[in-house]
Amino acid sequence: MKRTNRENRLDNDEVWGKTPFILIAWLGFVVLAMFLIIIFYLASPRLFQISEIIGYIIGGIFASILIVIGGGLLLITLTCITGLDLLYPHGKTQITMRILPPFVYLLGSSVLKLNKDKLRESFVAVTNALFWAQAKKNRFSPERILILLPHCIQWHKCPWKITWSIENCQKCGKCPLGTLVDFHKKDGISVYVATGGTVARRVVIESRPTMILAIACPRDLSEGMVDVYPLPVYGILLSRPNGPCFDTHLELDRVFDFIKLFRPDIYEKIVLQEQKTAKAHDREAFSTQE
Ligand code: SF4
């Protein structure tokens, strides 16, 4: 399908940060609260006429919905603003994180006419902020890190099949896989290329990661983050200079920085391995910016 100029421009625009998602979520919460209050106000005389208990139960259910969603949203907002882990319960499913994304996308794209991919980028920024707040408090272990990549990162003319077995990559350096393959099976790190959500879910179940570094486009990344929640996921958005799903780009620096931070014990080994691989394949070695 031919892409419009607007779509191309939006893809190349600056990535949206946390603010749009949080603001729309609060707007949605206010709308929901008003809706429930009006419904209860109109229905309560009849409900209490039927039975006082029914009136109190319905009122209690409405109040609980608002307290759970509003409380969860408040903790998410404060964590994003302060960088302190104020989430509760720790490492458990927070219902707000499951409910919010579809609600915000619906309100943002259908009512406010905002670009859905940009809203997804904003959700990824929120999830990343929550990830760092929890990481600072050592809420999760880097014992088994799963690096999950999309298929479109592979050079489109590459003849090697790398889904499930990234080891088939010949490290020619025409795409980032030539460097990332050296991370695979290094002391608890595994690297997989997934062709879609089903494969990604299977990889997550089989590799039982304690932490995921996911690289994808806004749609796959935001959906994947909700799917595996509450597993900790840090997301890196691909850049798409050739349009969607075709020879996509990844800032390898960010992957190296992530590993350096969480697994400094093997970082140097990987850098050395990359230098050796590059020499053997007569290509430039990837080097991180200090
Ligand atoms: S680096 Fe690996 S996956 Fe990428 S084009 Fe070369 S052989 Fe194919």
Side-chain angles (χ1 to χ4, degrees):
M1 196 170 73
K2 202 168 181 317
R3 286 167 62 77
T4 63
N5 285 342
R6 185 165 180 272
E7 281 171 330
N8 284 330
R9 235 187 7 258
L10 279 169
D11 267 359
N12 296 327
D13 264 2
E14 211 164 289
V15 172
W16 278 12
K18 301 164 281 188
T19 313
F21 187 89
I22 297 279
L23 284 181
I24 297 170
W26 276 111
L27 179 66
F29 177 72
V30 171
V31 171
L32 177 72
M34 282 168 61
F35 177 73
L36 292 182
I37 289 168
I38 290 171
I39 294 271
F40 188 70
Y41 177 74
L42 294 175
S44 57
R46 185 89 185 101
L47 288 174
F48 280 100
Q49 205 179 36
I50 298 168
S51 153
E52 260 193 26
I53 295 176
I54 291 179
Y56 284 125
I57 289 176
I58 304 270
I61 291 172
F62 281 13
S64 308
I65 291 173
L66 292 180
I67 290 169
V68 169
I69 296 179
L73 185 54
L74 182 66
L75 296 182
I76 289 169
T77 308
L78 291 175
T79 302
C80 283
I81 293 171
T82 61
L84 303 170
D85 178 17
L86 302 170
L87 301 173
Y88 192 83
H90 300 297
K92 300 267 173 10
T93 301
Q94 277 148 335
I95 193 162
T96 324
M97 280 303 274
R98 289 220 183 265
I99 293 173
L100 276 186
F103 198 57
V104 169
Y105 302 151
L106 184 74
L107 185 61
S109 63
S110 304
V111 182
L112 303 174
K113 304 289 173 209
L114 297 170
N115 180 279
K116 204 168 175 181
D117 260 1
K118 290 287 160 191
L119 292 170
R120 288 170 173 142
E121 285 178 5
S122 187
F123 171 69
V124 171
V126 168
T127 311
N128 282 348
L130 303 184
F131 174 92
W132 286 123
Q134 293 174 89
K136 273 194 256 167
K137 285 277 176 192
N138 297 322
R139 297 268 188 232
F140 28 72
S141 142
E143 194 187 333
R144 291 186 305 279
I145 298 180
L146 167 65
I147 302 180
L148 208 46
L149 299 152
H151 192 252
C152 59
I153 206 167
Q154 185 180 27
W155 180 45
H156 73 281
K157 285 187 183 162
C158 177
W160 302 97
K161 183 170 164 36
I162 39 82
T163 316
W164 285 109
S165 35
I166 193 173
E167 294 102 322
N168 286 343
C169 167
Q170 303 299 300
K171 307 182 183 182
C172 74
K174 286 214 164 61
C175 72
L177 293 172
T179 299
L180 292 174
V181 66
D182 285 333
F183 288 78
H184 190 48
K185 297 208 171 140
K186 290 268 184 322
D187 301 320
I189 298 183
S190 40
V191 185
Y192 284 97
V193 176
T195 42
T198 313
V199 176
R201 271 187 285 278
R202 226 177 109 188
V203 167
V204 171
I205 291 167
E206 286 181 13
S207 55
R208 296 186 305 109
T210 52
M211 182 186 281
I212 300 175
L213 173 61
I215 294 134
C217 63
R219 192 192 62 191
D220 288 357
L221 196 49
S222 55
E223 284 175 5
M225 283 170 147
V226 174
D227 262 6
V228 301
Y229 184 77
L231 254 177
V233 185
Y234 178 67
I236 299 180
L237 287 164
L238 286 168
S239 56
R240 298 171 285 181
N242 305 303
C245 314
F246 189 79
D247 285 349
T248 48
H249 282 200
L250 157 71
E251 287 171 40
L252 274 172
D253 261 326
R254 295 183 64 187
V255 180
F256 274 79
D257 287 347
F258 186 90
I259 298 300
K260 191 177 185 178
L261 187 67
F262 288 104
R263 295 298 303 270
D265 53 322
I266 56 164
Y267 172 78
E268 293 301 332
K269 272 194 237 170
I270 288 173
V271 171
L272 282 176
Q273 180 64 49
E274 162 63 2
Q275 285 164 357
K276 272 193 213 156
T277 306
K279 203 168 168 196
H281 290 81
D282 200 20
R283 64 168 169 84
E284 284 276 304
F286 170 77
S287 64
T288 52
Q289 287 156 13
E290 292 302 324

